[in-house]
Amino acid sequence: PATYSMLVELLRKNDCNNVLPLQSLILDTQRNERFNISEIGGLGVESSVVNSGFAGKVVLLPATTIDAVCSQDIKPDYIKIDAEGAENLIVSGAEKIIAGCRPILQIEVHGQYTGKDGVSKLFTHMEGLDYSIVNIATWEKITLEDYFACTHCHANNPVTGEDLAYKLYGQ
């Protein structure tokens, strides 16, 4: 809810009239869902529907799907998913749009929340949708084995080689 309020205010201040803000979770079905709000960093970092370990509080929010939000008039060419372990749920709720529009999908994979089974399921799901998994820093295709071995999976600054995850999150 705090992030939504900031978004609405930024859209107003910047006179952005081509954005439809939704205060809703994006998942695999339409329902009400518990959302664990983390207090780390003050901006909801690590807040999630699947990660209760860092929750400062829990709220009940409506959930919908990308397929439900995107009508015939909305055909995304790019979708970014950073959902702290709910990535596969979101992809499941976007299969019609993915099949019809073939958007670029940028998915930050959070294996620390889903474990090897969850990451394996996501890789299999994406391959079943005829998508390749690539490292966006190098644009090289990676395999599930690469991901688990942490080879080619770090986002490094292409000029300096600096590990961006360490710089941004101290990890």
Side-chain angles (χ1 to χ4, degrees):
T3 304
Y4 175 80
S5 296
M6 288 189 309
L7 172 64
V8 170
E9 181 61 15
L10 287 170
L11 293 172
R12 185 192 63 75
K13 283 182 178 180
N14 290 290
D15 199 28
C16 291
N17 299 315
N18 64 342
V19 175
L20 174 65
L22 298 173
Q23 188 168 1
S24 178
L25 302 170
I26 302 295
L27 294 172
D28 57 338
T29 62
Q30 295 179 312
R31 62 180 183 268
N32 288 324
E33 182 66 53
R34 292 170 47 102
F35 185 65
N36 305 296
I37 299 177
S38 171
E39 295 176 345
I40 295 174
L43 293 175
V45 173
E46 296 189 355
S47 296
S48 177
V49 295
V50 298
N51 176 26
S52 60
F54 296 103
K57 66 179 180 176
V58 177
V59 296
L60 192 64
L61 292 174
T64 190
T65 67
I66 290 175
D67 285 341
V69 171
C70 294
S71 67
Q72 291 180 351
D73 298 333
I74 301 174
K75 296 181 178 162
D77 54 12
Y78 172 83
I79 298 172
K80 180 180 186 298
I81 300 172
D82 181 358
E84 313 303 314
E87 300 84 13
N88 211 25
L89 293 172
I90 295 167
V91 170
S92 292
E95 288 184 352
K96 289 178 187 172
I97 287 296
I98 290 170
C101 299
R102 302 298 298 164
I104 294 170
L105 299 174
Q106 180 182 343
I107 303 174
E108 184 171 330
V109 179
H110 288 281
Q112 69 270 36
Y113 303 130
T114 62
K116 285 189 172 187
D117 288 344
V119 174
S120 297
K121 184 177 177 182
L122 180 62
F123 270 64
T124 301
H125 195 168
M126 296 310 303
E127 290 166 355
L129 294 168
D130 201 26
Y131 273 74
S132 295
I133 313 295
V134 299
N135 177 340
I136 64 169
T138 64
W139 295 106
E140 294 176 4
K141 185 175 179 178
I142 63 169
T143 66
L144 187 59
E145 292 75 24
D146 289 333
Y147 177 84
F148 288 132
C150 292
T151 59
H152 309 296
C153 296
H154 296 284
N156 291 355
N157 181 314
V159 175
T160 66
E162 181 178 24
D163 185 327
L164 298 177
Y166 183 79
K167 180 178 180 182
L168 296 173
Y169 301 109
Q171 298 177 21

